[in-house]
Amino acid sequence: MPEERVERFNLAERLGHWSHGITFIVLLLTGSALVFRSYASLIGPEGLRLFRSIHHVMAYPFTFLTVIILLLGTPRTVGQWLKECLTWGRDDFRFIAAFPREFFGLKVQLPEQGKFNAGEKLNSLLTIVGSILMAVTGWILLLRDSVAPTLVAWALPLHSAGALVMGGVILGHIYLALGHPNSRESINGMLSGKVSARFVREHHARWYRELKAGEFQGKKQQKIA
């Protein structure tokens, strides 16, 4: 009997996720050459000009594409996601306090979570705030000849610091999705859209109960009809 699968993310959610992730990584790699001299000398003047052009072009999809995909493709789930990310309870803070042990493979009992655990909520909030910071400061730097020099002076260190923080966040995200034995099945949610029911029961128990309660209610209404 095939294992039960649960839909975690729809197509628009997955496209939004990958468009954001890919554009950010390209921007991080190309932008590093504009900041670190050793990197710039490694690729040479022609490579540096190419990286600068790619960096400027990728600013457009990074700023606009993901937002367009999510708001046009799946506005209802985006609203649910934002609401859940901004809703924190005692179990969420308990999860954050205990999660470092889980991250490093130590045994720990984590509190039950909804569709998004507290770590995913924190990652989402950091990504949203960081992306806004990177977009705003990036466009100030791109249009530096048209804005006040004071803004440019502030934008440069903020842009660099934001890149370092978000780079660290995405490295942790990749590790949990691909390398961590307890959570790497989560990558299936962003590839096929579905994960195993076992994974949902173990990592998102509260959400699993809500799904089952919804299924039961739906079947009950069908019988009445």
Side-chain angles (χ1 to χ4, degrees), residues 10 13 34 47-48 58 61 95 102 112 126 137 153 159 164 179 195 197 202 213 215:
N10 61 37
E13 289 173 304
L34 307 179
L48 185 60
M58 293 302 289
F95 183 97
E102 170 76 6
E112 290 188 351
L126 287 172
T137 55
H159 197 71
L164 289 174
V195 293
E202 292 177 357
E215 288 179 7

Short mmCIF file of all heavy atoms in Angstrom, two decimals, residues 10 13 34 47-48 58 61 95 102 112 126 137 153 159 164 179 195 197 202 213 215:
data_model
loop_
_atom_site.label_atom_id
_atom_site.label_comp_id
_atom_site.label_asym_id
_atom_site.label_seq_id
_atom_site.Cartn_x
_atom_site.Cartn_y
_atom_site.Cartn_z
N ASN A 10 1.43 24.52 -3.00
CA ASN A 10 0.92 24.46 -4.37
C ASN A 10 1.97 24.96 -5.36
O ASN A 10 3.06 25.38 -4.97
CB ASN A 10 -0.40 25.24 -4.48
CG ASN A 10 -0.24 26.72 -4.16
OD1 ASN A 10 0.78 27.34 -4.48
ND2 ASN A 10 -1.24 27.30 -3.51
N GLU A 13 3.26 28.61 -4.91
CA GLU A 13 4.14 28.73 -3.74
C GLU A 13 5.53 28.21 -4.06
O GLU A 13 6.54 28.81 -3.67
CB GLU A 13 3.55 27.95 -2.57
CG GLU A 13 2.30 28.60 -1.97
CD GLU A 13 1.67 27.72 -0.92
OE1 GLU A 13 1.34 26.55 -1.22
OE2 GLU A 13 1.48 28.19 0.22
N LEU A 34 31.83 42.29 -6.37
CA LEU A 34 31.88 43.75 -6.36
C LEU A 34 32.39 44.29 -5.02
O LEU A 34 32.70 45.47 -4.91
CB LEU A 34 30.49 44.32 -6.64
CG LEU A 34 29.79 43.81 -7.91
CD1 LEU A 34 28.42 44.43 -8.05
CD2 LEU A 34 30.64 44.07 -9.14
N GLY A 47 35.44 39.51 -16.32
CA GLY A 47 34.52 38.77 -15.45
C GLY A 47 33.79 39.69 -14.49
O GLY A 47 32.60 39.52 -14.22
N LEU A 48 34.52 40.70 -14.00
CA LEU A 48 33.90 41.65 -13.08
C LEU A 48 32.80 42.45 -13.78
O LEU A 48 31.73 42.67 -13.20
CB LEU A 48 34.97 42.59 -12.52
CG LEU A 48 34.50 43.57 -11.44
CD1 LEU A 48 33.95 42.83 -10.23
CD2 LEU A 48 35.66 44.48 -11.02
N MET A 58 19.56 41.00 -12.42
CA MET A 58 18.84 40.12 -11.48
C MET A 58 18.11 40.90 -10.40
O MET A 58 17.27 40.35 -9.69
CB MET A 58 19.81 39.13 -10.84
CG MET A 58 20.39 38.11 -11.81
SD MET A 58 19.13 37.13 -12.65
CE MET A 58 18.55 36.10 -11.30
N PRO A 61 14.05 40.65 -11.23
CA PRO A 61 13.26 39.51 -10.76
C PRO A 61 13.28 39.35 -9.23
O PRO A 61 12.29 38.93 -8.64
CB PRO A 61 13.91 38.30 -11.46
CG PRO A 61 15.26 38.75 -11.86
CD PRO A 61 15.13 40.22 -12.15
N PHE A 95 9.88 26.04 21.15
CA PHE A 95 10.52 25.41 19.99
C PHE A 95 11.84 26.09 19.67
O PHE A 95 12.87 25.43 19.46
CB PHE A 95 9.58 25.48 18.78
CG PHE A 95 10.10 24.80 17.55
CD1 PHE A 95 9.71 23.51 17.23
CD2 PHE A 95 11.00 25.45 16.70
CE1 PHE A 95 10.19 22.88 16.09
CE2 PHE A 95 11.49 24.82 15.56
CZ PHE A 95 11.09 23.53 15.25
N GLU A 102 18.30 20.30 18.28
CA GLU A 102 17.84 19.58 17.09
C GLU A 102 18.73 19.88 15.88
O GLU A 102 19.08 18.99 15.11
CB GLU A 102 16.39 19.99 16.79
CG GLU A 102 15.83 19.50 15.46
CD GLU A 102 15.46 18.03 15.45
OE1 GLU A 102 15.52 17.39 16.52
OE2 GLU A 102 15.13 17.52 14.36
N GLU A 112 4.64 20.49 19.76
CA GLU A 112 3.86 20.35 18.53
C GLU A 112 3.75 21.67 17.79
O GLU A 112 3.67 22.73 18.41
CB GLU A 112 2.46 19.82 18.85
CG GLU A 112 2.44 18.37 19.30
CD GLU A 112 1.02 17.84 19.42
OE1 GLU A 112 0.07 18.64 19.32
OE2 GLU A 112 0.87 16.63 19.60
N LEU A 126 12.70 36.74 8.72
CA LEU A 126 14.04 37.23 8.38
C LEU A 126 14.16 37.42 6.87
O LEU A 126 14.77 38.40 6.40
CB LEU A 126 15.11 36.26 8.87
CG LEU A 126 15.36 36.22 10.38
CD1 LEU A 126 16.31 35.07 10.73
CD2 LEU A 126 15.95 37.55 10.86
N THR A 137 17.98 49.07 -0.48
CA THR A 137 19.36 49.56 -0.53
C THR A 137 20.00 49.28 -1.88
O THR A 137 20.80 50.07 -2.39
CB THR A 137 20.21 48.92 0.59
OG1 THR A 137 20.12 47.47 0.49
CG2 THR A 137 19.72 49.36 1.96
N ALA A 153 25.59 56.55 1.13
CA ALA A 153 26.56 56.24 2.18
C ALA A 153 25.99 55.25 3.19
O ALA A 153 26.71 54.39 3.71
CB ALA A 153 26.99 57.53 2.88
N HIS A 159 23.52 47.22 2.81
CA HIS A 159 23.37 46.22 1.75
C HIS A 159 24.35 45.06 1.97
O HIS A 159 23.97 43.89 1.86
CB HIS A 159 23.63 46.88 0.39
CG HIS A 159 23.13 46.09 -0.78
ND1 HIS A 159 21.80 45.92 -1.06
CD2 HIS A 159 23.82 45.39 -1.75
CE1 HIS A 159 21.66 45.19 -2.15
NE2 HIS A 159 22.87 44.84 -2.58
N LEU A 164 25.27 39.41 4.09
CA LEU A 164 25.93 38.44 4.97
C LEU A 164 24.92 37.70 5.84
O LEU A 164 24.98 36.47 5.98
CB LEU A 164 26.96 39.15 5.86
CG LEU A 164 28.23 39.65 5.15
CD1 LEU A 164 29.08 40.46 6.13
CD2 LEU A 164 29.03 38.48 4.60
N GLY A 179 20.51 18.31 4.20
CA GLY A 179 21.47 17.54 4.97
C GLY A 179 21.00 16.99 6.30
O GLY A 179 21.47 15.94 6.74
N VAL A 195 4.57 15.95 0.89
CA VAL A 195 5.45 15.23 1.80
C VAL A 195 4.66 14.07 2.39
O VAL A 195 3.44 14.01 2.26
CB VAL A 195 5.97 16.14 2.94
CG1 VAL A 195 6.90 17.21 2.40
CG2 VAL A 195 4.81 16.78 3.70
N ALA A 197 2.76 11.65 5.01
CA ALA A 197 1.92 11.89 6.18
C ALA A 197 2.71 11.64 7.46
O ALA A 197 2.49 12.31 8.47
CB ALA A 197 0.69 10.98 6.14
N GLU A 202 4.98 13.85 12.48
CA GLU A 202 6.12 13.99 13.38
C GLU A 202 6.57 15.44 13.55
O GLU A 202 7.06 15.81 14.62
CB GLU A 202 7.29 13.16 12.85
CG GLU A 202 7.05 11.65 12.93
CD GLU A 202 8.19 10.85 12.32
OE1 GLU A 202 9.15 11.48 11.78
OE2 GLU A 202 8.14 9.61 12.38
N ALA A 213 -9.27 16.70 10.75
CA ALA A 213 -10.56 17.20 11.20
C ALA A 213 -11.33 17.80 10.04
O ALA A 213 -12.56 17.62 9.92
CB ALA A 213 -10.36 18.25 12.29
N GLU A 215 -11.01 16.91 6.85
CA GLU A 215 -11.44 15.80 6.00
C GLU A 215 -12.68 15.13 6.58
O GLU A 215 -13.63 14.82 5.86
CB GLU A 215 -10.31 14.77 5.87
CG GLU A 215 -9.15 15.22 5.02
CD GLU A 215 -8.05 14.18 4.96
OE1 GLU A 215 -8.28 13.05 5.46
OE2 GLU A 215 -6.98 14.47 4.40
#
